[in-house]
């Protein structure tokens, strides 16, 4: 079983739609949680961190449920420019680095159409 | 300021050939990570350096993979006797993460080297 699991999609939605991505992780020792965005043939870029209390950044809302080991991302009023792959990421502690290494999910592809 | 750079951006190798991939991290960043991203998959951790010390190489898929960072700045990932299954994008990331500093610091990724083994 993969450590971080996501629905690979693709999700095809019209502009203005609300879309939700879900993710589960298997290691309860995971320290911190993120959503990254990756455009085609580009490197991953941090979209937002995810906190237990839930957090919002403009049209994006992320939530974490540690008990269920579940992470979500909600995108409201989707734009054409939101088309990308969204990677669910957890951070695992490694020797000598309190910051840890990143464990990525497979990614969920989003395509927003006019 | 300059971000993480990697070279070459593209590499085509014949099966059995050795390759070397270079990463220039953000100046002053202590931590350096290598990840491998196969087509349609998320990146997978390969190895981690804190300055010149390689503290975790648990993700290296075989002993054909070797990484170094001799002066604690530039890093090279070397793959010997390349195989077709080595075809992937190799991503380098760096962070300021200081030894003993608790908590996560953002990893900044380079553009990657796209390796194709024929």
């Amino acid at each position: 079983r993969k450590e971080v699991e996501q629905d690979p999609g693709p999700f095809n939605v019209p502009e203005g739609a609300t879309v939700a991505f879900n993710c589960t992780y298997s290691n309860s020792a995971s320290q911190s949680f993120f959503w990254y965005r990756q455009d085609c043939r580009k490197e991953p870029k941090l979209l937002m961190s995810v906190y237990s209390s839930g957090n919002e950044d403009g049209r994006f809302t992320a939530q974490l449920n540690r008990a269920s080991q579940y992470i979500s991302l909600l995108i409201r009023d989707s734009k054409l420019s939101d088309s990308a792959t969204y990677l669910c990421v957890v951070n695992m502690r490694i020797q000598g680095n309190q910051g840890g290494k990143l464990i990525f999910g497979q990614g969920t592809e989003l395509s927003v159409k006019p | 300021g300059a971000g993480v750079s990697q070279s070459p951006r593209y590499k085509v190798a014949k099966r059995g050939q050795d390759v070397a991939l270079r990463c220039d991290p953000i100046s002053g960043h202590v931590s350096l990570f290598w990840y491998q991203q196969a087509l349609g998959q998320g990146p997978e951790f390969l190895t981690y350096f804190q300055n010149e010390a390689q503290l975790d190489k648990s993700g290296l898929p075989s002993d054909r993979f070797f990484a170094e960072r001799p002066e604690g700045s530039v890093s090279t990932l070397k793959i010997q006797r390349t195989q077709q299954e080595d075809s992937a994008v190799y991503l380098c990331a760096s962070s300021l993460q200081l030894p003993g500093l608790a908590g996560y610091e953002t990893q900044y990724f380079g553009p990657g080297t796209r390796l194709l083994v024929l």
Side-chain angles (χ1 to χ4, degrees):
Chain A
R1 183 182 171 213
K2 280 182 169 289
E3 289 188 71
V4 179
E5 295 208 52
Q6 297 180 249
D7 180 346
F11 283 45
N12 297 304
V13 303
E15 265 188 297
T18 295
V19 60
F21 302 137
N22 303 314
C23 165
T24 56
Y25 62 95
S26 59
N27 193 326
S28 59
S30 300
Q31 293 179 274
S32 39
F33 309 88
F34 311 91
W35 285 99
Y36 271 68
R37 170 189 170 133
Q38 187 170 28
D39 292 285
C40 188
R41 303 180 76 85
K42 299 284 191 182
E43 70 272 22
K45 291 187 177 175
L46 178 64
L47 179 65
M48 58 195 301
S49 301
V50 189
Y51 304 112
S52 298
S53 54
N55 49 299
E56 190 173 306
D57 182 1
R59 298 181 292 109
F60 299 82
T61 301
Q63 294 211 304
L64 165 67
N65 184 321
R66 282 188 184 266
S68 303
Q69 297 181 196
Y70 172 90
I71 307 163
S72 67
L73 176 69
L74 186 75
I75 306 176
R76 292 182 301 279
D77 187 24
S78 53
K79 312 289 185 193
L80 296 177
S81 57
D82 293 334
S83 296
T85 295
Y86 290 82
L87 295 158
C88 177
V89 186
V90 305
N91 171 243
M92 296 293 299
R93 185 183 298 272
I94 54 177
Q95 178 188 353
N97 181 296
Q98 300 287 351
K101 65 183 178 184
L102 300 180
I103 309 296
F104 289 81
Q106 179 181 1
T108 300
E109 185 182 344
L110 172 66
S111 179
V112 182
K113 306 290 189 186
Chain B
V4 178
S5 61
Q6 293 186 243
S7 61
R9 293 292 311 276
Y10 302 91
K11 177 69 180 177
V12 178
K14 291 183 179 178
R15 189 160 53 97
Q17 188 178 348
D18 296 349
V19 298
L21 313 179
R22 176 186 168 108
C23 172
D24 283 81
I26 294 172
S27 179
H29 276 197
V30 169
S31 298
L32 186 147
F33 302 79
W34 283 98
Y35 295 85
Q36 178 192 57
Q37 186 171 22
L39 189 64
Q41 302 295 317
E44 293 197 1
F45 171 81
L46 293 177
T47 187
Y48 158 69
F49 289 86
Q50 182 183 97
N51 295 307
E52 69 279 2
Q54 188 176 19
L55 297 186
D56 189 322
K57 51 183 180 179
S58 61
L60 295 176
S62 76
D63 58 8
R64 296 185 296 103
F65 286 71
F66 171 76
E68 60 183 6
R69 194 186 185 197
E71 296 178 1
S73 178
V74 172
S75 177
T76 303
L77 176 67
K78 297 179 179 177
I79 309 173
Q80 297 177 322
R81 305 181 303 281
T82 52
Q83 304 294 314
Q84 286 184 317
E85 63 263 28
D86 300 335
S87 296
V89 177
Y90 290 85
L91 294 161
C92 175
S94 71
S95 77
L96 186 58
Q97 192 75 41
L98 299 174
L101 177 68
Y104 174 80
E105 288 217 13
T106 299
Q107 294 184 24
Y108 296 90
F109 283 82
T113 294
R114 193 170 297 269
L115 173 65
L116 176 63
V117 182
L118 301 176

